[in-house]
């Protein structure tokens, strides 16, 4: 009997990531008979047919933690050894191109990451993108991949993986929102490239009886800028903290529309989450978002061009 295809996945399921995307992907592969194992950062000598990597920059993010210098160095060594060992044995390196740049802006000019990316991209045997429209931007940004095979690996929905939405009316009551008020939401980590401050400015200029919920971990300067932009605007709920999954689902139940004003991103898991939970989205136009809009319809994903304005 033939041995099943063995895939080493990084990051792995569960505690190794904060995104159910990996869990759903791994579960789907296992239903097809694929042997999927998590890459073990501290352990060597894992073997497999495919090393499937999603965010290689995580390796350098760990190295840059001051309290984990030795562990970070060891993890990078293990990553490189695993890659070299699998390639020597005839295996393949697959990369899912979620982003063109690291989320952490500090890493974008990091010399260690530049070296890792150079070696990693040169070893990639195949690239998965979440949309076909992502192929050309990735090839343009990373020329060494121009002749590498590209494949579409659609982002799964989160229905069934996330809890069912509770009563919207109940959540609105908890928030103290009137029945007819329209609730805009910004949910998830408030990185500067997502432009949460822009949303706060637009909402402050909007007026009326609309309500704004902004919830997610945020750097201190973003918190200060959001509060400043809102001035003393009423009808707002601000939670600058990492929101547990169960609380996040309840917040999605309360809002009428998710607003994602950022323009400097490639793919957004937040957009997929909102759509999975039947929450319409307002987002900036991009070739990737335009392809998603063609799949779900304009009534679910409204795209604006330029910057978000109150009109």
């Amino acid at each position: 009997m033939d041995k099943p295809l063995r895939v080493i996945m990084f990051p792995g399921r569960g505690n190794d990531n904060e995104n159910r995307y990996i869990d759903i992907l791994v579960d789907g592969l296992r239903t097809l008979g694929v042997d999927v194992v998590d890459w073990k950062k501290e352990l060597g000598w894992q073997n497999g047919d495919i090393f499937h990597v999603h965010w290689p920059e995580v390796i350098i993010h760990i190295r840059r933690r001051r309290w984990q210098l030795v562990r970070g160095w060891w993890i990078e060594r293990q990553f490189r050894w695993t890659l070299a060992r699998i390639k020597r044995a005839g295996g393949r390196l697959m990369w899912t191109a979620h982003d063109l740049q690291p989320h952490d802006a500090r890493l974008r000019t990091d010399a260690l990451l530049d070296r890792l990316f150079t070696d990693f991209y040169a070893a990639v045997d195949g690239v998965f993108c979440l949309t076909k429209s992502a192929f050309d931007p990735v090839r343009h940004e990373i020329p060494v991949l121009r002749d590498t095979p590209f494949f579409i690996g659609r982002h799964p929905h989160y229905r069934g993986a996330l809890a069912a939405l509770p009563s919207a009316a109940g959540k609105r009551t908890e928030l103290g929102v009137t029945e007819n008020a329209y609730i805009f939401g910004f949910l998830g980590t408030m990185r500067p490239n997502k432009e949460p401050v822009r949303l706060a400015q637009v909402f402050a200029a909007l007026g009326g009886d609309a309500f704004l919920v902004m919830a997610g971990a945020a750097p201190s300067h973003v918190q200060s800028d959001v509060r400043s932009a809102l001035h003393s605007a009423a009808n707002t709920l601000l939670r600058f903290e990492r929101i547990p999954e169960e609380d996040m689902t309840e917040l999605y139940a309360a809002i009428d529309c998710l607003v994602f004003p950022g323009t400097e991103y490639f793919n957004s898991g937040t957009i997929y989450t909102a759509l999975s939970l039947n929450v319409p989205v307002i987002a900036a136009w991009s070739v990737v978002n335009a392809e998603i809009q063609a799949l779900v319809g304009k009534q679910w994903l409204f795209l604006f061009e330029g910057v978000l304005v109150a009109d």
Side-chain angles (χ1 to χ4, degrees), residues 186 194-196 198-199 259-263 265 282-284 304 308:
F186 184 107
K194 295 183 179 181
E195 298 191 36
R198 162 65 63 176
L199 175 57
V259 185
F260 201 87
T263 57
Y265 64 94
I282 298 173
F304 63 87
L308 181 69

Side-chain angles (χ1 to χ4, degrees), residues 63-178:
R63 278 208 65 174
R64 289 308 188 188
R65 295 173 182 168
R66 294 178 182 176
W67 64 93
Q68 291 189 340
L69 292 177
V70 175
R71 178 174 179 263
W73 175 87
W74 176 251
I75 287 172
E76 184 184 354
R77 298 278 74 72
Q78 291 283 24
F79 183 81
R80 290 177 176 275
W81 289 336
T82 301
L83 173 56
R85 185 167 55 254
I86 289 175
K87 296 280 285 188
R88 279 198 305 269
R92 296 290 183 265
L93 171 63
M94 303 298 293
W95 174 49
T96 294
H98 293 276
D99 304 292
L100 294 179
Q101 296 287 341
H103 285 162
D104 188 340
R106 294 169 298 181
L107 291 179
R108 296 174 189 173
T109 56
D110 190 294
L112 285 177
L113 184 59
D114 283 345
R115 287 198 291 271
L116 179 66
F117 273 168
T118 297
D119 296 338
F120 177 81
Y121 293 144
V124 166
D125 296 294
V127 179
F128 288 110
C129 291
L130 305 182
T131 58
K132 185 176 181 180
S133 56
F135 288 9
D136 286 344
V138 172
R139 288 176 175 134
H140 176 77
E141 185 73 18
I142 310 168
V144 71
L145 296 177
R146 285 178 181 168
D147 296 325
T148 302
F150 274 63
F151 309 90
I152 300 175
R154 296 286 185 193
H155 196 296
H157 63 73
Y158 292 114
R159 293 176 181 176
L162 298 176
L165 292 183
S167 165
K171 292 308 301 179
R172 295 171 76 94
T173 300
E174 289 181 25
L175 294 175
V177 181
T178 60

Side-chain angles (χ1 to χ4, degrees), residues 131-135 137 266 284-293 303:
T131 58
K132 185 176 181 180
S133 56
F135 288 9
F266 196 43
W285 186 94
S286 69
V287 292
V288 169
N289 284 346
E291 183 172 336
I292 299 171
Q293 184 190 61
L303 300 180

